[in-house]
Amino acid sequence: MHNERIEEYKRKKTALFESGNVDQSARELIIELIEQLEQLAGENHRLRKAVLKATSSHQSKMSTKLRDALYE
């Protein structure tokens, strides 16, 4: 999830909380969900980097002949 999207959720959360229409348990749930979104977005970013690094280093070591044979 992109940081812009998370920031938009935070703005919506703030507006919702300021309206006074949200009880305490709902507030806690919303805060917890946004925190988890941030953690998952960070984990997703780290995993994507690791996969890109692993595939780029793996492809450079594989000969073109072998790669062609694997794709057939």
Side-chain angles (χ1 to χ4, degrees):
M1 179 159 299
H2 298 287
N3 287 338
E4 299 87 26
R5 191 102 180 241
I6 293 173
E7 292 304 317
E8 178 63 26
Y9 287 138
K10 287 180 178 181
R11 285 190 288 278
K12 288 180 180 180
K13 174 201 73 159
T14 301
L16 189 61
F17 286 5
E18 289 174 353
S19 73
N21 295 330
V22 183
D23 67 8
Q24 186 60 31
S25 61
R27 285 177 183 258
E28 290 170 5
L29 177 62
I30 291 168
I31 291 168
E32 183 180 331
L33 291 171
I34 289 176
E35 287 173 355
Q36 185 154 18
L37 274 173
E38 291 175 318
Q39 290 173 356
L40 292 172
E43 186 177 327
N44 188 24
H45 179 73
R46 287 186 297 279
L47 288 171
R48 284 176 183 259
K49 278 178 68 173
V51 167
L52 285 173
K53 184 177 178 182
T55 56
S56 67
S57 67
H58 178 68
Q59 286 179 350
S60 64
K61 293 178 184 174
M62 191 184 324
S63 73
T64 55
K65 204 172 198 180
L66 176 59
R67 185 177 37 222
D68 292 342
L70 288 172
Y71 286 123
E72 286 183 4

